[in-house]
Amino acid sequence: MMKPATPSQVRVVTFKINDRDVSARSDETILQVARENGIRIPSLCYVEGLSVWGACRLCLIELNGDSRLLAACSTRVEEGMEVLTDTDRLRRYRRMIVELLFAERNHVCAVCVSNGRCELQNLAQECGVDHVRVPYRTAVYHVDASHDWFRLDHNRCVLCTRCVRACDEIEGAHTWDTMGRGINCQVITDLAKPWGESKSCTGCGKCVQMCPTGALVRHGTSVGEMEKDRGFLPYLSRMREAEWE
Amino acid sequence: MQLEELSELAAEIQESQQHCDHCVRVCMAAGCQSSGAKVVFDALSEKTAESEHVCVKGVGCMGLCAAGPLVEVTSRGQAPVMYQQVTEADAQEVVDSLGGAPVERLRCPSDMPFFTSQHKIVLENSGVIDPEQIKEYIAADGYRALVHAVTEMTPAEVLREVDVSGLRGRGGGGYPAGLKWSTVSKMPGGDKFVVCNGDEGDPGAFMDRAVLESDPHRVIEGMVLAGYAVGAAHGFIYVRAEYPLAVERLTKAIRDATKQGFLGQNICETRFSFDIEIRLGAGAFVCGEETALMASIEGRRGQPRPRPPYPAQSGLWGYSTLINNVETFANIPPIIRRGGAWFASIGTEKSKGTKVFALAGRIRNTGLIEVPMGITLRDIVFTIGGGVPEGSQFKAVQTGGPSGGCLPEEFLDLPVDYDTLRQAGSIMGSGGMIVMDQTSSMVDVARYFMEFCMDESCGKCVPCRAGTHQMHALLDKIAQGHGSVKDLALLEELCEVVRAMSLCGLGQTAPNPVLSTLQHFRMEYVAKLQEHALPDGGPPASERSATPPAESQETTS
């Protein structure tokens, strides 16, 4: 899993986000600095403590009035850059991304255990998705309930791969991975075996806590009951980094 | 090895080739082989086995694939004669004609513009030498640039020649090669890699395959020169497994070059060492994208990652890596041999040198050509390509594959270079050119390329994974005459989002075929929409799988 290249010497730089002056270490990314300063940039696949994936494309920002957009999660800050996080164009694009996600699989909030606690649902509200303009695919996806404690529902998966990364980088089990390509891409446990038969899964449940939607949940939860707790991640990832250093 | 020794070796080989009076060259590239060149070659070899004055050679691509299998006969003191569509039964007649009058029945006019209007640099040995014999490459000035550079030039001098040449990446992006090379050479750290991208996947494109099959040593020489210039000791050639002949010839070429001392430890008895490994692609188009290609070489899932960091900063296993396309490396030996200034004298102000194009579709002379940059599309399609077949009418030429666009007749006088084509709404791309006539519906063309992009999307980023699927569904609906004005507007909006938001080049350029056909052939889309307005044009209820976007659907609770 990749991490952005670290510049050899870390300096302090100042630059602008939405016309506001901010300062940052030169090894930080735009998204990190924006969060430190309470500036909201929508994101889905990024989680502090896991490697950068750069796939949801919601955190794209405009830079110096350039027409090319950059992902805030994977772009390092530079002296004097002028970042715009909330232009009309970005709002329009982000809304379309969320709509595409809703139309891709079967996200039925009303019967979802994560209703009210779902990051995709929050993003839809934030981006003003009151209806979806593209046709729903309504493809059939299965549910894997073979694990003793947890359940995987492909209908709700947004392929952010947070589970894959948490399992690989924090737990060190690498039970999760992805298979297939394009629209047929999906997350798998071991070599596409039922989760309950997985030899590598330690049952730690970090993947479940990391999942932004109702794709990975605990057994026995009903509509709106699946609350996720990510408090462990910053601590564990700091410990991991200290160990490597 | 010093330059004098190489010259002596080359002279020796040339002399040994002098003994035969008649040289019969049979095109053994994949195109001619698929129309039976192998049996022709075997028949010719068998019938001339006892003659000491005739040698039969299997050579690389001669270009005019439409007329294959091609055979060229060069007799001492006479102009070469080319035969087309030679069959096993014709072999005896060809052999009998040696030394006498040529077989007029089979003759392919080699004075036609297809042959005379080309300018060959990359393909200079293609169709001339036997790609499986390193001797023949050496006799044709091969490895001269390498020996000269390694023994007499500093890496900085090699870099300067590449920079002066103005060569731009031939994979489609057009990034200046000199700039990329000097960035990699300046990166600190010991280990660096040179990677050759041979994962050519555009439908209808076969330039890299032809170069690898016809002149593999040229690519190896270019890579070794790159390794010397940037300070790398290891190289990888990433070739698709769908090119078995190219893989076979490359494998042999690497073995032969290592045996001759042009590869491996202490090249030409200097302190410079460089080795090359072949890596086979498993059929994913996205692995032609440089970051996905590197992931694939490392043994991981072939998926792109965000740039920066660029491969020059952090490439294979985190080391600085130089990635260029097959054709880019194939241009390097002549640049070093003849000087960057010579190369810069060919082409236009911003696009130097020549470009290999693969002509396909509704065109008479299907095949492979190499032309100087700045030539007009009209010259390529009508003069060299011979125009569309009788009874057809030219409609559009598609350049750049699934990332490119369709250009109609009024753009035919544009000079072919990176920047002009981009302004016209297409791209140069890696060099595939598909000609279409009035029978092609532009909506179908857009749908075909979108289906390709949808199938080849890796599934990592949302706009490409879900966006190409939606765009394909919309194009399908419009092509079947069920589309509405709203569908067209939605399609255009999706094009904009997918282009701006996608992670890698595949997604960013996937809307290009739609956008360019919309720009130049909008009337065809509108005509399809009007079918919908006809009383009997509406979709049957059974086909109404997707709810029209007009009816909004609630998403959140």
Side-chain angles (χ1 to χ4, degrees):
Chain A
M1 295 286 172
M2 58 96 36
K3 284 192 165 191
T6 312
S8 47
Q9 272 187 323
V10 175
R11 293 174 298 115
V12 173
V13 296
T14 54
F15 65 102
K16 281 193 164 100
I17 302 183
N18 297 342
D19 260 345
R20 197 174 127 191
D21 287 307
V22 290
S23 69
R25 287 158 53 103
S26 60
D27 62 347
E28 286 182 289
T29 63
I30 296 173
L31 188 60
Q32 284 171 326
V33 179
R35 292 204 171 168
E36 280 166 27
N37 289 280
I39 300 166
R40 167 81 188 158
I41 300 178
S43 70
L44 188 58
C45 67
Y46 176 81
V47 179
E48 178 99 55
L50 296 181
S51 62
V52 169
W53 187 234
C56 72
R57 313 310 283 166
L58 284 164
C59 71
L60 260 62
I61 47 100
E62 281 185 42
L63 196 62
N64 308 333
D66 193 355
S67 66
R68 239 187 83 206
L69 307 176
L70 287 170
C73 65
S74 63
T75 309
R76 300 245 172 233
V77 296
E78 271 168 41
E79 182 70 42
M81 55 173 32
E82 287 173 29
V83 178
L84 293 175
T85 67
D86 199 28
T87 62
D88 285 345
R89 180 171 163 230
L90 288 173
R91 274 201 290 267
R92 197 155 56 81
Y93 290 176
R94 282 181 190 141
R95 182 185 157 153
M96 181 58 93
I97 298 277
V98 177
E99 286 181 44
L100 284 171
L101 278 173
F102 269 102
E104 186 184 10
R105 303 225 175 164
N106 307 310
H107 296 279
V108 189
C109 300
V111 295
C112 181
V113 292
S114 286
N115 189 12
R117 309 172 196 277
C118 169
E119 289 186 38
L120 183 65
Q121 201 177 31
N122 294 346
L123 278 168
Q125 278 160 8
E126 183 182 348
C127 297
V129 182
D130 47 8
H131 69 283
V132 172
R133 289 164 294 171
V134 292
Y136 280 85
R137 285 181 62 236
T138 58
V140 177
Y141 287 96
H142 69 267
V143 176
D144 180 354
S146 58
H147 196 276
D148 288 345
W149 309 312
F150 311 118
R151 189 167 69 228
L152 161 65
D153 185 352
H154 285 289
N155 290 292
R156 312 277 195 261
C157 179
V158 291
L159 290 170
C160 65
T161 70
R162 283 190 197 179
C163 52
V164 179
R165 286 173 286 154
C167 187
D168 178 57
E169 295 163 20
I170 305 298
E171 178 64 8
H174 202 123
T175 301
W176 292 99
D177 214 318
T178 49
M179 73 168 219
R181 66 185 187 209
I183 204 83
N184 301 316
C185 189
Q186 62 175 46
V187 291
I188 49 167
T189 43
D190 283 359
L191 294 172
K193 286 278 185 302
W195 195 0
E197 291 171 23
S198 168
K199 295 265 186 337
S200 62
C201 178
T202 60
C204 72
K206 291 189 181 70
C207 49
V208 176
Q209 304 302 339
M210 280 296 115
C211 178
T213 67
L216 288 173
V217 295
R218 244 191 341 265
H219 277 318
T221 44
S222 184
V223 175
E225 284 181 358
M226 184 62 217
E227 197 171 354
K228 310 231 168 151
D229 173 18
R230 300 193 182 115
F232 66 90
L233 186 66
Y235 174 76
L236 283 182
S237 61
R238 258 203 311 281
M239 290 297 109
R240 279 264 144 146
E241 269 166 35
E243 213 172 276
W244 285 336
E245 276 160 14
Chain B
M1 186 185 286
Q2 298 292 313
L3 213 47
E4 296 84 50
E5 291 171 61
L6 184 77
S7 304
E8 276 169 33
L9 181 62
E12 223 170 85
I13 299 165
Q14 276 160 0
E15 203 171 310
S16 70
Q17 288 169 346
Q18 293 295 320
H19 74 271
C20 64
D21 295 330
H22 310 284
C23 182
V24 182
R25 295 189 171 90
V26 185
C27 176
M28 295 289 274
C32 281
Q33 284 216 16
S34 63
S35 48
K38 185 79 173 72
V39 287
V40 174
F41 176 78
D42 290 343
L44 285 167
S45 311
E46 190 195 323
K47 293 188 193 330
T48 58
E50 275 145 42
S51 168
E52 277 179 19
H53 304 290
V54 183
C55 58
V56 179
K57 276 203 273 192
V59 297
C61 186
M62 292 185 181
L64 192 57
C65 305
L70 293 166
V71 174
E72 191 182 53
V73 177
T74 318
S75 301
R76 199 192 300 259
Q78 282 178 28
V81 180
M82 191 180 261
Y83 297 121
Q84 60 186 358
Q85 292 170 346
V86 183
T87 59
E88 195 179 357
D90 298 326
Q92 190 61 48
E93 208 173 333
V94 171
V95 173
D96 292 343
S97 77
L98 294 174
V103 189
E104 289 302 330
R105 180 173 65 84
L106 297 169
R107 204 147 171 194
C108 175
S110 50
D111 54 351
M112 63 197 240
F114 182 88
F115 296 103
T116 54
S117 303
Q118 293 194 44
H119 186 133
K120 294 197 171 182
I121 296 176
V122 170
L123 301 177
E124 60 184 350
N125 293 336
S126 180
V128 180
I129 65 164
D130 182 344
E132 299 195 5
Q133 302 296 328
I134 191 172
K135 289 188 310 198
E136 298 220 353
Y137 183 65
I138 294 173
D141 273 347
Y143 289 112
R144 226 187 145 71
L146 169 68
V147 176
H148 175 55
V150 174
T151 57
E152 291 169 17
M153 289 168 87
T154 63
E157 283 170 338
V158 176
L159 281 177
R160 198 171 320 130
E161 289 304 325
V162 176
D163 195 38
V164 168
S165 75
L167 175 68
R168 292 170 70 170
R170 295 291 194 249
Y175 191 79
L179 192 56
K180 200 187 255 184
W181 287 34
S182 68
T183 312
V184 176
S185 78
K186 282 179 188 137
M187 286 302 290
D191 280 334
K192 288 174 190 174
F193 291 97
V194 173
V195 175
C196 174
N197 183 346
D199 192 60
E200 177 179 55
D202 290 3
F206 46 92
M207 300 76 54
D208 294 348
R209 186 185 74 190
V211 174
L212 291 172
E213 285 176 0
S214 311
D215 204 359
H217 286 286
R218 164 179 299 267
V219 181
I220 293 170
E221 188 179 2
M223 286 181 70
V224 181
L225 284 164
Y228 182 69
V230 303
H234 306 284
F236 286 97
I237 302 185
Y238 190 91
V239 201
R240 359 174 26 201
E242 291 91 330
Y243 288 173
L245 189 60
V247 174
E248 187 188 313
R249 289 187 176 164
L250 262 178
T251 312
K252 183 170 192 313
I254 290 173
R255 208 167 48 225
D256 291 347
T258 312
K259 226 179 267 174
Q260 281 282 343
F262 298 127
L263 258 182
Q265 293 292 314
N266 302 89
I267 293 172
C268 302
E269 290 97 45
T270 64
R271 288 170 61 191
F272 171 61
S273 300
F274 190 82
D275 59 49
I276 295 179
E277 272 181 62
I278 298 178
R279 283 284 191 275
L280 297 189
F285 178 69
V286 75
C287 286
E289 200 276 342
E290 56 185 18
T291 57
L293 185 146
M294 291 190 307
S296 177
I297 289 182
E298 290 173 12
R300 293 185 288 119
R301 184 176 154 96
Q303 279 183 328
R305 59 156 174 80
R307 296 176 303 176
Y310 288 93
Q313 301 161 295
S314 172
L316 278 177
W317 295 286
Y319 296 105
S320 176
T321 303
L322 174 76
I323 298 196
N324 273 132
N325 167 266
V326 168
E327 199 184 328
T328 315
F329 282 121
N331 269 302
I332 300 297
I335 287 174
I336 302 300
R337 210 164 58 221
R338 306 173 74 168
W342 159 80
F343 190 83
S345 69
I346 307 161
T348 66
E349 197 198 332
K350 285 190 173 156
S351 304
K352 304 293 188 192
T354 58
K355 179 79 193 83
V356 182
F357 287 104
L359 297 180
R362 298 292 285 169
I363 189 165
R364 277 209 184 90
N365 301 332
T366 323
L368 198 72
I369 59 162
E370 182 172 1
V371 288
M373 295 275 192
I375 189 173
T376 63
L377 279 167
R378 191 180 297 281
D379 276 343
I380 292 180
V381 175
F382 286 94
T383 313
I384 297 177
V388 290
E390 215 156 297
S392 296
Q393 206 188 346
F394 176 85
K395 185 169 186 181
V397 55
Q398 210 278 347
T399 68
S403 317
C406 299
L407 297 173
E409 176 123 35
E410 56 262 38
F411 286 87
L412 280 184
D413 291 312
L414 284 183
V416 172
D417 63 49
Y418 291 98
D419 313 292
T420 319
L421 284 181
R422 186 164 298 155
Q423 278 160 22
S426 186
I427 61 162
M428 173 113 89
S430 56
M433 226 175 239
I434 302 170
V435 178
M436 287 169 265
D437 67 3
Q438 79 285 353
T439 55
S440 304
S441 153
M442 286 298 142
V443 184
D444 281 345
V445 171
R447 179 175 59 169
Y448 167 77
F449 281 110
M450 191 53 72
E451 186 179 354
F452 182 86
C453 290
M454 175 181 77
D455 287 342
E456 296 297 340
S457 166
C458 73
K460 179 171 174 177
C461 77
V462 184
C464 181
R465 181 181 75 225
T468 52
H469 180 88
Q470 293 286 357
M471 285 196 283
H472 178 258
L474 284 168
L475 282 165
D476 202 37
K477 194 173 166 193
I478 295 171
Q480 287 178 18
H482 303 159
S484 67
V485 178
K486 269 193 171 153
D487 288 331
L488 193 59
L490 185 61
L491 179 66
E492 289 190 275
E493 174 148 16
L494 276 168
C495 283
E496 192 190 337
V497 174
V498 173
R499 178 186 239 184
M501 302 291 267
S502 289
L503 170 60
C504 81
L506 196 162
Q508 285 161 9
T509 58
N512 282 0
V514 184
L515 288 169
S516 78
T517 47
L518 270 171
Q519 186 185 344
H520 303 306
F521 301 93
R522 200 181 179 89
M523 285 317 292
E524 291 196 21
Y525 284 85
V526 174
K528 288 278 184 191
L529 299 185
Q530 281 164 352
E531 280 176 28
H532 179 59
L534 295 174
D536 56 349
S542 59
E543 280 183 30
R544 230 187 292 131
S545 54
T547 322
E551 294 166 34
S552 53
Q553 298 165 15
E554 288 305 314
T555 60
T556 50
S557 60

